[in-house]
Amino acid sequence: MQSEAWNGYRKPPSEQKYSEDVGHIHQGLNFEPTREELDSLSKACSRLWELDMNRIVPGKDYIIDCGEGKKVYQKGDMASESLFSWLGDDVLRKPTYSRFCALLDNYNPHQDKHEEIAFVEEIARTSPIKYLHRYLVQKGVVPQDYEDFKKMLTSLWFDLYGRGGNSSCSTAFEHVFVGEIKGPGQGESEVSGFHNWIQASSRVVNEI
């Protein structure tokens, strides 16, 4: 889905408008992980879920049709209808969702970098990412400075790496959210990655 609002995302990151910092909106919100959460990944994930005030709600924001299911050995798509039968009009207008969709368009390389930095800046204002930073600081695996953490996140997601015998041809973001065709000898007709519900809902969005 194209939106006129995305045109503003093509500006340099410093000239863009972002949502309010979640820390200023919810005074007293604590992003520091507890000892129990540091000792239990399951509890830390549950805390991340609780902090995600931007998540969409089934029945309210979307409706999915899971069909009748299929056996493990069945490889094809057994569903007769789209997974998403309905998606709320305002879902993809949410700042983080909208910036994510803008990243799926192919612009020039400089423009891509602008969008990558702006996307990380937007999500860095949300509760889950603030909590994630504090959690990883306590684990000693990321810098304590938040700006350095955002640079590290940008590098992890968007720096190029080699895949299928080719050098510097892929990124973690592309693999996870956009999907890739497997390389030579790996099943060239198969898609790898693509763990992205937004694109799965694209048919419904286009019909709206």
Side-chain angles (χ1 to χ4, degrees):
M1 181 180 79
Q2 277 285 356
S3 169
E4 292 181 3
W6 297 355
N7 291 329
Y9 298 166
R10 301 183 185 186
K11 299 177 181 178
S14 60
E15 298 177 14
Q16 297 191 29
K17 293 182 179 180
Y18 299 98
S19 57
E20 289 293 327
D21 190 307
V22 70
H24 296 305
I25 298 175
H26 302 277
Q27 296 294 333
L29 196 59
N30 183 14
F31 303 114
E32 201 68 33
T34 64
R35 173 48 55 190
E36 290 79 9
E37 290 162 358
L38 289 171
D39 292 339
S40 169
L41 183 58
S42 176
K43 290 183 178 179
C45 290
S46 294
R47 179 79 182 283
L48 275 173
W49 178 261
E50 293 169 3
L51 287 169
D52 186 8
M53 293 165 284
N54 196 41
R55 67 174 179 263
I56 58 177
V57 180
K60 174 178 176 289
D61 297 308
Y62 69 93
I63 298 174
I64 60 174
D65 179 2
C66 296
E68 298 179 0
K70 65 179 184 179
K71 304 297 184 181
V72 175
Y73 58 82
Q74 294 175 308
K75 301 299 183 181
D77 185 353
M78 307 300 292
S80 59
E81 303 293 336
S82 298
L83 174 62
F84 282 79
S85 59
W86 176 80
L87 187 70
D89 292 341
D90 61 340
V91 168
L92 299 186
R93 296 190 181 97
K94 293 173 178 277
T96 51
Y97 293 62
S98 187
R99 287 190 185 278
F100 175 86
C101 289
L103 270 174
L104 299 178
D105 290 334
N106 292 322
Y107 301 117
N108 63 64
H110 295 295
Q111 187 60 55
D112 286 343
K113 287 299 177 186
H114 287 338
E115 291 176 350
E116 291 164 5
I117 294 171
F119 175 69
V120 171
E121 178 61 36
E122 189 72 66
I123 65 170
R125 295 164 178 261
T126 66
S127 300
I129 300 300
K130 286 178 177 288
Y131 173 80
L132 176 66
H133 172 244
R134 298 308 309 158
Y135 181 89
L136 295 177
V137 165
Q138 293 297 324
K139 291 291 185 179
V141 295
V142 301
Q144 186 159 355
D145 182 82
Y146 205 50
E147 292 302 316
D148 289 340
F149 170 65
K150 287 191 289 186
K151 292 176 183 176
M152 181 179 181
L153 194 58
T154 303
S155 176
L156 286 172
W157 277 4
F158 298 109
D159 282 0
L160 292 169
Y161 67 89
R163 178 180 64 88
N166 297 317
S167 60
S168 300
C169 64
S170 186
T171 69
F173 183 91
E174 179 185 3
H175 174 83
V176 174
F177 295 114
V178 182
E180 314 171 284
I181 301 298
K182 290 186 177 181
Q186 299 177 319
E188 292 88 336
S189 62
E190 296 182 19
V191 175
S192 176
F194 194 54
H195 315 296
N196 171 16
W197 68 263
I198 290 182
Q199 294 213 73
S201 68
S202 61
R203 179 179 174 183
V204 174
V205 173
N206 288 331
E207 291 174 353
I208 289 175

